[in-house]
Amino acid sequence: MYLALCVACLLMAGDPGMPLVQACLSRGDALGAQQAMKNVAEPSLESSQLRAEWLDASSRLAWSRGEMDQSFAWMVEAVVLAERTGLVLPPLTESLTPDRAWMDPAFGLSLFVLPTGDRGEAAHAMAAQLLALREAAEPSGVWIAFAAKLLDESVVLPAAAKVPDTTKALPQHRRRALLQAACESRYGKSISEARETLRGFGRDQRQALRWVRWFDAEGRAREGPDQSWMASLRFTQSAAECADAPWLRVAALRRAAKAIHSTDSSEAARLEAAANKEIP
């Protein structure tokens, strides 16, 4: 009731801006937030805190539409700008995810968002925008380069990326290690090493399992046909971790179908049908 009154007051104010967007998102009204967002101008690059809020909300709206790569890119940029300005990003989706907030405190990222590769060539521009952030040129910002590379394989990682970090220390270190292992699984040669890092996160951070199993699956799919069944299983397990992320669940089931299509077309068809049933 209180939230409804707040929304009504904001509407009567004429130009509610971001508060109305946030109010809609906090009660799970993605359509209302999308409509309200049309009245919010994109903040300039110089307005770091305002831009962080805008990017954060835009990321959540893209996530609600199933645009995972775009959601991931905006989320990463929002995190960078929020950390630059000391802004604490609001939990906004509490009514949708009552067990935990959108931003995961162990990593300082939203693990609801996973870059699935759904934007193809358009992801190049997203990656370039992340690399243009001044923090990306700093040693502590190597994680941004890993995030960009997950979007665009052509991104060249800096030499400092090869220096290992502990996964047990600060959220920034866990974040970097997770993104580095994901990149290695998706593009690199040390797939087994990346798998071990991912398994460690799976043991220590239950909320990271959707990432762990997805990128374990990607690595196995690259290892050849003899791993197709296991790759499909890992994608299916990732889908099982996505009850609160329906579009990501759809994407995981579709990748499970693709992984096994050449060896078991009937099972692939079953998984594809299951993915279609999950479309929100």
Side-chain angles (χ1 to χ4, degrees), residues 98-121:
D99 293 336
R100 61 189 177 93
W102 170 267
M103 300 300 297
D104 190 279
F107 295 92
L109 290 176
S110 175
L111 298 183
F112 283 86
V113 183
L114 192 155
T116 61
D118 60 19
R119 286 300 296 272
E121 293 182 3

Short mmCIF file of all heavy atoms in Angstrom, two decimals, residues 98-121:
data_model
loop_
_atom_site.label_atom_id
_atom_site.label_comp_id
_atom_site.label_asym_id
_atom_site.label_seq_id
_atom_site.Cartn_x
_atom_site.Cartn_y
_atom_site.Cartn_z
N PRO A 98 13.18 -12.73 -3.18
CA PRO A 98 13.18 -12.43 -1.75
C PRO A 98 14.36 -13.01 -0.98
O PRO A 98 14.69 -12.53 0.11
CB PRO A 98 11.85 -13.04 -1.27
CG PRO A 98 11.55 -14.11 -2.28
CD PRO A 98 12.05 -13.58 -3.58
N ASP A 99 15.00 -14.05 -1.51
CA ASP A 99 16.08 -14.69 -0.76
C ASP A 99 17.38 -13.89 -0.78
O ASP A 99 18.18 -14.01 0.12
CB ASP A 99 16.35 -16.10 -1.31
CG ASP A 99 15.17 -17.04 -1.05
OD1 ASP A 99 14.42 -16.75 -0.09
OD2 ASP A 99 15.02 -18.01 -1.79
N ARG A 100 17.60 -13.11 -1.82
CA ARG A 100 18.83 -12.34 -1.89
C ARG A 100 18.66 -11.19 -2.88
O ARG A 100 17.79 -11.21 -3.73
CB ARG A 100 20.02 -13.22 -2.28
CG ARG A 100 19.90 -13.88 -3.64
CD ARG A 100 21.04 -14.90 -3.81
NE ARG A 100 20.94 -15.63 -5.05
CZ ARG A 100 21.54 -15.28 -6.17
NH1 ARG A 100 22.25 -14.19 -6.22
NH2 ARG A 100 21.42 -16.01 -7.26
N ALA A 101 19.53 -10.20 -2.74
CA ALA A 101 19.44 -9.02 -3.60
C ALA A 101 19.97 -9.31 -5.00
O ALA A 101 20.65 -10.31 -5.23
CB ALA A 101 20.23 -7.88 -2.96
N TRP A 102 19.66 -8.41 -5.90
CA TRP A 102 20.14 -8.52 -7.29
C TRP A 102 21.67 -8.60 -7.34
O TRP A 102 22.25 -9.43 -8.01
CB TRP A 102 19.63 -7.31 -8.06
CG TRP A 102 20.18 -7.11 -9.43
CD1 TRP A 102 21.27 -6.35 -9.76
CD2 TRP A 102 19.66 -7.63 -10.66
NE1 TRP A 102 21.46 -6.37 -11.13
CE2 TRP A 102 20.48 -7.15 -11.70
CE3 TRP A 102 18.58 -8.45 -10.98
CZ2 TRP A 102 20.25 -7.46 -13.04
CZ3 TRP A 102 18.34 -8.76 -12.31
CH2 TRP A 102 19.18 -8.26 -13.33
N MET A 103 22.35 -7.71 -6.62
CA MET A 103 23.80 -7.70 -6.60
C MET A 103 24.31 -8.69 -5.57
O MET A 103 23.89 -8.68 -4.42
CB MET A 103 24.32 -6.30 -6.26
CG MET A 103 23.90 -5.23 -7.25
SD MET A 103 24.48 -5.55 -8.94
CE MET A 103 26.24 -5.50 -8.71
N ASP A 104 25.21 -9.57 -5.99
CA ASP A 104 25.74 -10.58 -5.08
C ASP A 104 26.94 -10.01 -4.31
O ASP A 104 27.93 -9.61 -4.93
CB ASP A 104 26.18 -11.81 -5.88
CG ASP A 104 26.49 -12.97 -4.96
OD1 ASP A 104 27.60 -12.99 -4.41
OD2 ASP A 104 25.63 -13.84 -4.78
N PRO A 105 26.88 -9.98 -2.99
CA PRO A 105 27.95 -9.34 -2.21
C PRO A 105 29.29 -10.08 -2.29
O PRO A 105 30.34 -9.47 -2.09
CB PRO A 105 27.40 -9.34 -0.78
CG PRO A 105 26.39 -10.44 -0.76
CD PRO A 105 25.79 -10.46 -2.13
N ALA A 106 29.28 -11.38 -2.55
CA ALA A 106 30.53 -12.13 -2.60
C ALA A 106 31.38 -11.77 -3.81
O ALA A 106 32.60 -11.91 -3.79
CB ALA A 106 30.24 -13.63 -2.60
N PHE A 107 30.73 -11.29 -4.89
CA PHE A 107 31.44 -10.97 -6.11
C PHE A 107 31.31 -9.50 -6.51
O PHE A 107 32.05 -9.03 -7.37
CB PHE A 107 30.92 -11.84 -7.27
CG PHE A 107 31.20 -13.30 -7.10
CD1 PHE A 107 30.27 -14.13 -6.48
CD2 PHE A 107 32.37 -13.86 -7.56
CE1 PHE A 107 30.52 -15.48 -6.32
CE2 PHE A 107 32.64 -15.21 -7.40
CZ PHE A 107 31.71 -16.02 -6.78
N GLY A 108 30.36 -8.80 -5.94
CA GLY A 108 30.13 -7.42 -6.36
C GLY A 108 29.60 -7.34 -7.77
O GLY A 108 29.79 -6.35 -8.48
N LEU A 109 28.92 -8.39 -8.21
CA LEU A 109 28.27 -8.45 -9.52
C LEU A 109 26.88 -9.02 -9.34
O LEU A 109 26.57 -9.63 -8.31
CB LEU A 109 29.04 -9.38 -10.47
CG LEU A 109 30.40 -8.96 -11.00
CD1 LEU A 109 30.99 -10.09 -11.83
CD2 LEU A 109 30.30 -7.70 -11.85
N SER A 110 26.06 -8.88 -10.37
CA SER A 110 24.79 -9.60 -10.38
C SER A 110 25.00 -10.94 -11.07
O SER A 110 25.34 -10.99 -12.25
CB SER A 110 23.71 -8.81 -11.12
OG SER A 110 22.53 -9.60 -11.20
N LEU A 111 24.81 -12.02 -10.34
CA LEU A 111 24.95 -13.35 -10.92
C LEU A 111 23.64 -13.83 -11.55
O LEU A 111 23.57 -14.95 -12.04
CB LEU A 111 25.44 -14.35 -9.87
CG LEU A 111 26.81 -14.03 -9.28
CD1 LEU A 111 27.24 -15.12 -8.29
CD2 LEU A 111 27.87 -13.84 -10.35
N PHE A 112 22.63 -12.95 -11.53
CA PHE A 112 21.41 -13.24 -12.28
C PHE A 112 21.65 -13.08 -13.78
O PHE A 112 20.89 -13.58 -14.59
CB PHE A 112 20.28 -12.28 -11.87
CG PHE A 112 19.64 -12.61 -10.57
CD1 PHE A 112 20.17 -12.16 -9.37
CD2 PHE A 112 18.50 -13.39 -10.52
CE1 PHE A 112 19.58 -12.47 -8.16
CE2 PHE A 112 17.89 -13.70 -9.32
CZ PHE A 112 18.43 -13.24 -8.13
N VAL A 113 22.70 -12.34 -14.12
CA VAL A 113 23.00 -12.04 -15.51
C VAL A 113 24.21 -12.84 -15.95
O VAL A 113 25.23 -12.88 -15.26
CB VAL A 113 23.30 -10.54 -15.69
CG1 VAL A 113 23.55 -10.22 -17.15
CG2 VAL A 113 22.16 -9.70 -15.15
N LEU A 114 24.09 -13.48 -17.10
CA LEU A 114 25.19 -14.27 -17.64
C LEU A 114 25.30 -13.96 -19.13
O LEU A 114 24.30 -14.03 -19.85
CB LEU A 114 24.92 -15.75 -17.41
CG LEU A 114 26.04 -16.75 -17.63
CD1 LEU A 114 25.79 -18.01 -16.79
CD2 LEU A 114 26.17 -17.15 -19.09
N PRO A 115 26.49 -13.57 -19.62
CA PRO A 115 26.61 -13.24 -21.05
C PRO A 115 26.54 -14.50 -21.91
O PRO A 115 27.49 -15.27 -21.98
CB PRO A 115 27.99 -12.58 -21.14
CG PRO A 115 28.77 -13.17 -19.99
CD PRO A 115 27.76 -13.41 -18.90
N THR A 116 25.42 -14.71 -22.55
CA THR A 116 25.17 -15.96 -23.26
C THR A 116 25.63 -15.92 -24.71
O THR A 116 25.62 -16.95 -25.39
CB THR A 116 23.67 -16.29 -23.24
OG1 THR A 116 22.95 -15.23 -23.89
CG2 THR A 116 23.16 -16.45 -21.82
N GLY A 117 26.01 -14.73 -25.21
CA GLY A 117 26.40 -14.61 -26.61
C GLY A 117 25.22 -14.35 -27.52
O GLY A 117 25.28 -14.65 -28.71
N ASP A 118 24.15 -13.74 -26.99
CA ASP A 118 22.93 -13.58 -27.78
C ASP A 118 22.95 -12.35 -28.68
O ASP A 118 22.04 -12.15 -29.48
CB ASP A 118 21.69 -13.54 -26.88
CG ASP A 118 21.71 -12.41 -25.86
OD1 ASP A 118 22.47 -11.44 -26.05
OD2 ASP A 118 20.96 -12.49 -24.88
N ARG A 119 23.97 -11.50 -28.59
CA ARG A 119 23.98 -10.28 -29.40
C ARG A 119 24.94 -10.36 -30.59
O ARG A 119 25.01 -9.43 -31.38
CB ARG A 119 24.34 -9.07 -28.53
CG ARG A 119 23.22 -8.63 -27.62
CD ARG A 119 21.96 -8.23 -28.37
NE ARG A 119 22.17 -7.07 -29.22
CZ ARG A 119 22.03 -5.82 -28.81
NH1 ARG A 119 21.68 -5.56 -27.57
NH2 ARG A 119 22.24 -4.82 -29.63
N GLY A 120 25.70 -11.43 -30.72
CA GLY A 120 26.55 -11.60 -31.89
C GLY A 120 27.50 -10.44 -32.10
O GLY A 120 28.18 -9.98 -31.18
N GLU A 121 27.54 -9.93 -33.33
CA GLU A 121 28.48 -8.87 -33.68
C GLU A 121 28.21 -7.58 -32.92
O GLU A 121 29.11 -6.77 -32.71
CB GLU A 121 28.44 -8.61 -35.18
CG GLU A 121 28.96 -9.78 -36.02
CD GLU A 121 28.95 -9.47 -37.50
OE1 GLU A 121 28.58 -8.33 -37.87
OE2 GLU A 121 29.30 -10.36 -38.29
#
